[in-house]
Amino acid sequence: MVIDLDRCNGCQACEVACRTENNIAVGGPERAREDRTISWIQVRSEVEGEWPDVRSRFIPVLCMHCDRPPCVTVCPTHATQKSADGLIGQIYPRCIGCRYCANACPYTIKSFNWFAPEYPPETLDGLNPDVSIRPAGVIEKCTFCYHRLQKAKDQARAEGRPLREGDYVPACVESCPTEAMVFGDLDDPQHRVHHLARDPKAFRLLEGLSTEPKVFYLAEEK
Amino acid sequence: MSDLEKIEGLPADQRILLRPLVRTTRVFWFWAGLMAAIALWGLFAYSLQLRWGLGMTGLNVPEYWGIYIICFVFFIGISHAGTLISAILRISKAEWRRSITRSAEFITVLVIGFGAIQPIIDLGRPDRVLNVILYGSVTSPLLWDVCSICLYLTASSIYLYIPMIPDLALIRDLGIRPRWLYWFLALGYEGKPHQKEVLEKIISVLAVAVIPIAVSVHTIIGWIFALTLRPMWHSTIFGPYFVVGAIYSGIAALILAMAVLRRVYGLGNYFKDIHFNNMGLMLLLMSCLWFYFTFAEHLTAWYGGEEAEMATLWSKLTGEYAFPFWLMVASCFFIPFVLMCRQATRGVWGTSIASFFVVLGMWLERFNIVVPTSQNPRLPREVVHYVPSWVELSIMAGTFAGFILVYMLATKFFPIISIWEIEEGRELSVKEVSERVASYLPDAIEEATA
């Protein structure tokens, strides 16, 4: 994934799309007060300068799906693991809730279900049947909408063709009104992200830690 | 004939050391009742946490680990009292060990159980704890931890039990209740020469074996932290630092236990001033080592000057956690050092006070490792202040009370000082030690041949 920070205006459509797509629990005011709400993608903001010369900067942060993921090595039960596609998944029924992966993640992007998830009754019909509901006491995080990848793969197989760019994008990318987020195969020269990730403006978060994140950012110019 | 009458006619050592098994005072019942009540309260708090989830605690993002993990490291550290100290003293043939090894080994075995349940209390899904075995990942330090703690618990239980067999046989022969227990545990031991030979062989092998096991246990606990990229956890010093800290708090806990046992069971003749003096010297040595490691750890972080590390470091030195940090330094170094470097304050009271502060300071040390790092993640985010909830504090109080209770009960079923080793000391050691000392000296060379 490549995120162009020049294009991000902090609208948080990605957060909303992610919530709906992935059945993320609605914590309500109480969880919000405790700062225990769950979000798989967060638009973190920073205000620069002093009034009146202020400027807001936004950076959407989600699971980086690292190539050398510190969370995977520390998990005692293989509940968090790297798939053959290179995505970091979380097996909820296997997670024992030790929160070691959350501590090991330098991006502090894993969420924990402190209580059993709650949903307002009127939203129950709208839950996504493709995504499992997480029980209390497990870790959850962004999966790059892995269920969409599975569907896209099935579709491609049925049509007897390889997976193409655009067959599969996560909900956050799909919802971004400014097209700040671009998704694809970083290793495939046919895909836009392959080239964008090699842009001189491209950088990754905490690159010095050598976790090899698969989320690239394009630095702001203006 | 009552059990009490049975022991009245015995030689002094056996009479004094077996008395707690057959006579229970009101003070004992009071304290046992109080400890049981606190432990039950802790159990009640845990039942609420099981029912509603870890949201009952004060934990949060990014403060994922709190009181339970602090207590885990603390308890497992205390468990290094026994096996390690008693094994080292046995191997080095320190004769003054004879009256203290058993009480130390009991601390080890009982406290390790209370330590091992802490991570399970901390789990979001304790019902899935078996997944660690079913789907174990060899790259996870948590799996190594489970293995080393299980091995340590097994080895130190055997190491507690085997040297107790001759005493259990003595109790069985006296017919003290519950008879079936002592009959079963004594394994038909009759003190025959070949039985004794086997027993001593096992003890000497175990004494050597438990030392590396104990070192591995706390090294791995240190590595649980050190093998993450978190500021001030990712440190090579953590393995040895944790082992030193564990031995330090273990010695202190043992001194406190000795002081209490000496008072409540009138064992002043067994836990003498010389024992407290010698244990005090060990405390002195460990306080210096602790200071050295702590200084080295913080100096390295400061010199590196990495942004994320500095945030954690300053929060300890001058920031939010300055109070627990400097209280720790005072408790783990200044107070014990000042008290223990003078002979006059190495008595029962002096060592007990120093030990109290060391135990407190070592708990704080774990707090200072876990909390400030958790609060300072590499990517800054909204700051959450960790305040333990009443559930966490109740469970902590419950486990402390539970440990004290089972230790009290242990002294009611097993002689807390090894009777046969004391007797052996009286009969054999005096001669053996003088022969040994003589063997250290240069052989006498006759003037005439020179």
Side-chain angles (χ1 to χ4, degrees), chain B residues 151-167:
Chain B
L151 184 63
Y152 187 42
L153 180 60
T154 314
S156 53
S157 302
I158 301 172
Y159 186 61
L160 165 71
Y161 171 57
I162 300 283
M164 201 154 55
I165 290 177
D167 286 357

Side-chain angles (χ1 to χ4, degrees), chain A residues 34-36 73-78 92-100 102-103 108 110 114-115 135-138 209, chain B residues 52-55 57 59-60 64-65 122-125 128 131 135-137 139-142 224 230 377-378 381 384:
Chain A
E34 293 168 350
D35 207 10
R36 279 177 175 159
T73 43
V74 299
C75 175
T77 61
H78 284 299
Y92 311 118
R94 197 184 279 183
C95 174
I96 58 172
C98 64
R99 307 183 297 293
Y100 199 177
N103 259 335
T108 339
K110 292 209 160 191
W114 302 99
F115 293 103
V138 302
L209 296 179
Chain B
W52 297 108
L54 277 176
T57 63
L59 298 170
N60 208 325
Y64 290 107
W65 288 343
D122 184 65
L123 290 188
R125 295 299 301 242
R128 295 178 181 171
N131 282 4
Y135 306 105
S137 159
T139 55
S140 174
L142 275 189
I224 289 181
R230 298 300 293 264
R378 285 186 187 268
R381 45 174 298 143
V384 172

